[in-house]
Amino acid sequence: MSRSKTLIMLILSFFCFAGNLLVTQKFPSYFPKPVYALDSASDDQILLGRALFYDPILSYDNTISCASCHSPYNAFAHTDHDLSHGINDEIGTRNAPALFNLAWQKNLMWDGASNHLDVQALAPIAHPGEMNESIGNIIEKLRLKYGYATLFSNAYGDNEITSKRILKALTAFQLTLISANAKYDRVQKGEEQFTAQEFSGYSLFKTHCNTCHSEPLFTNHSFANNGLAIDATLRDYGRWKVTQRPQDSLLFKVPSLRNLSYTFPYMHDGRFKKLNDVLAHYAAGIIRSETLAPELQQGIKLSSNEKADIIAFLLTLNDQEFIFNPDTKYPLGIGQSKKE
Amino acid sequence: MFTVILAFWVMLPLFGVAQRTLSILPVYHSNILSLDSVYTNSTGDTIRIETCKFYISNAILTESLSRKGTHLDDYLLIDVFEPRTWLLGKVDTATFYTELSFNLGIDSVTNNSGALDGALDPSLGMYWTWQSGYINAKLEGISKASTARNNQFQFHLGGYLSPYNALQKVKLNLTNKADIVLLWDIAPFFDKVDIHNNNHTMSPSANAVELSKLLASFFSIQ
């Protein structure tokens, strides 16, 4: 065995070892029951999924990985990009959503077009403006790439590479992205206390926002029309395209409000850069239409003090531990060397 | 030893171990569908079929007396241009079945079950990527009548959500104990569908449901 090969094996075995240390993440008792089983994948399957998530091999010209638009330091969103850019700098039509607490989301994407986390990855992989690749071609490329035979073997008992194994591994990794230790959570657990302003914001939040952005995940996972004007260039009617039911026109998924400091800009097309812009929209910018959410018929009128209080509360939903969790970051040394 | 085996083999039918096949036979009128053939419909349009695949699922043979059902393989992907995919299953010759039922397409529970393998592997080209769901049936080709680019027609039929659930249930009566040949004659499709105006469907819709019903109506027992 050559020296470099030995080194790679050493690095690999380190990560396999590290993989075993990835204890199945627990979630707080006040979280609801997850939609996806959190303990069904092995550490090695999670590790394989993590390698795939960060590997641009999933795109046609090997330039775009999942992490290109779902950046780990931005709660797996694409900070500063209203619309994300994929292969050949093609611009997409929607804001890349943050990835966390996916175990509680049955339907994925802003319009719920994906009905299961396993199959969600097929959409960006095949999209001509995102990764422009086929799963069949990915399988061929992975077969030739050093390191993956071992990763697949460890994960599944043999080194056969199939679409099901790839997709299940991506799911396994993404299910470990649990954000549950923001200040809000520590307050819930009695470890910390809100400031007076945060507490005031929390009360206002419960009055005005909690119906859709329901605690503790800060979304009720429904689809709603929150009164945004139609973007004249994108002409995006949201969930209507999926269900083709008129009552779903202009409905988009209610996003979680956790980690807002990392996930700007906001809304399905990233039209608002600041939380103040969002609150201003709810106060005075709502466009009335047939499918407008009943909760927003009158808008949400707030004084500037109240807005400041709500924002103070929303900032308690930032989860630094999640953002800096090394177990979800780029897996150094895995699948990065060409076959010798 | 040899004679024992031979005797056993000869007597197999008596033990009811012998098997008969259940297979599909895709035709255009009386001709087996072929990639190289150009077909002519009732109005004189010419048709070439380039892709024709569909899912048969949950096939059940029902016994005459007990009404007991025998399940065949759950999910089969039929490619009419790949005769090895025509065999749906084997059943014993002793039992008299009176009914064959199956689904043309994939049911909603399976459509919601995440990544699957075998005939349901999403890399087989029978899964939509931009929106979750299996393509129950894929029919592509060229017809002079089509106004689309290069006279193409492209039907990707699927959808599992109401009101555009494209899954079709098919039930056929069986009358004897011979091999079961499920004839599928696609010729009426090109007589009934106005390819001039209706030449592509790529997502769940009312048209996809209508066309699926049509495809499901072409099955008969030979």
Side-chain angles (χ1 to χ4, degrees), chain A residues 62-125:
Chain A
N62 305 321
T63 57
I64 307 287
S65 72
C66 303
S68 300
C69 297
H70 297 284
S71 152
Y73 293 100
N74 300 309
F76 296 91
H78 204 180
T79 297
D80 251 353
H81 290 78
D82 51 353
L83 306 172
S84 287
H85 50 87
I87 203 160
N88 297 328
D89 285 341
E90 294 264 350
I91 306 289
T93 58
R94 294 204 179 129
N95 179 258
L99 306 182
F100 55 78
N101 299 344
L102 298 172
W104 288 269
Q105 287 189 38
K106 169 75 177 111
N107 294 308
L108 292 301
M109 316 296 256
W110 280 107
D111 55 9
S114 293
N115 69 15
H116 194 289
L117 189 52
D118 284 354
V119 293
Q120 186 280 332
L122 293 169
I125 287 172

Side-chain angles (χ1 to χ4, degrees), chain A residues 106 113-116 118-119 122-123 126 135-136 139 162-164 167-168 239 241-245, chain B residues 111-117 121-123 127-132 160-164 203-205:
Chain A
K106 169 75 177 111
S114 293
N115 69 15
H116 194 289
D118 284 354
V119 293
L122 293 169
I135 195 97
I139 292 171
T162 66
S163 49
K164 182 179 176 180
L167 297 172
K168 289 279 181 199
R239 186 139 178 85
K241 192 185 169 202
V242 174
T243 65
Q244 302 194 38
R245 302 188 310 173
Chain B
N111 263 299
N112 271 288
S113 298
L116 302 165
D117 49 17
D121 190 317
S123 69
Y127 196 89
W128 275 307
T129 52
W130 56 278
Q131 176 176 353
S132 299
Y160 61 92
L161 289 170
S162 175
Y164 301 128
S203 55
S205 63

